[in-house]
Amino acid sequence: TTGALLDGEDFNGWLALFDEHSEYEITAHSTEIRQQMSWWKSDRMSLEKILKEIPRHVRDPGRRLHIVTPTLVEVSGDSARAVSSFAVFRTTPDGESRVYAVGHYEDNLVKKAERWLYVTHKVVLQTRLLEAPTHVPI
């Protein structure tokens, strides 16, 4: 669901996957400082403001396609933890496709009103050099 909503640029639908007290983060390992660094970290309220601004920004014209594979799901009552590997492909307006980013998601979820919602949705990138910079979630 996450990848399909982002691919379709349904940012409201993607945001609806988050609990009201949730957090989104993008991290990558820095070889220079030899540790994980945070590229983006927002609570749900800040994330909502950022997503509303997207139509006002100059945007990368490429289209993205997420391929997501769950590798771990642990459920305990109304909470869960999941890890999913992903690859994101980017296709230019000319039709050329390349791998844009690879990594994995580390998610903590809570079940509310029969829906699973993110408490934390962490993107752990292996790719550090993105072909086209983005201010759109990965």
Side-chain angles (χ1 to χ4, degrees):
T1 302
T2 291
L5 291 169
L6 290 173
D7 295 342
E9 297 192 356
D10 182 356
F11 301 121
N12 291 328
W14 182 75
L15 190 61
L17 299 175
F18 287 77
D19 182 61
E20 62 184 318
H21 303 291
S22 58
E23 186 174 83
Y24 173 75
E25 183 176 18
I26 299 176
T27 67
H29 185 272
S30 168
T31 55
E32 297 83 7
I33 61 175
R34 297 185 184 125
Q35 65 183 12
Q36 286 294 106
M37 59 182 181
S38 183
W39 283 2
W40 179 350
K41 190 171 188 175
S42 296
D43 63 20
R44 190 185 189 288
M45 185 180 298
S46 298
L47 192 56
E48 185 173 6
K49 289 177 186 176
I50 291 166
L51 295 175
K52 284 183 180 178
E53 294 292 323
I54 287 175
R56 297 181 183 166
H57 290 273
V58 173
R59 301 262 322 274
D60 170 26
R63 302 292 297 169
R64 298 187 308 177
L65 174 67
H66 289 70
I67 307 298
V68 181
T69 303
T71 57
L72 170 77
V73 177
E74 296 176 339
V75 179
S76 178
D78 286 343
S79 63
R81 182 173 83 92
V83 177
S84 302
S85 299
F86 70 83
V88 180
F89 294 86
R90 178 178 170 271
T91 302
T92 66
D94 295 333
E96 183 180 347
S97 296
R98 293 184 185 198
V99 175
Y100 179 71
V102 297
H104 68 272
Y105 297 121
E106 296 176 358
D107 300 320
N108 290 299
L109 303 107
V110 64
K111 189 174 186 180
K112 289 189 174 177
E114 300 305 313
R115 290 188 62 218
W116 287 100
L117 301 172
Y118 292 122
V119 175
T120 59
H121 183 50
K122 183 176 182 181
V123 180
V124 181
L125 288 174
Q126 290 179 2
T127 305
R128 281 193 43 210
L129 301 174
L130 300 177
E131 184 177 347
T134 186
H135 56 277
V136 174
I138 295 174

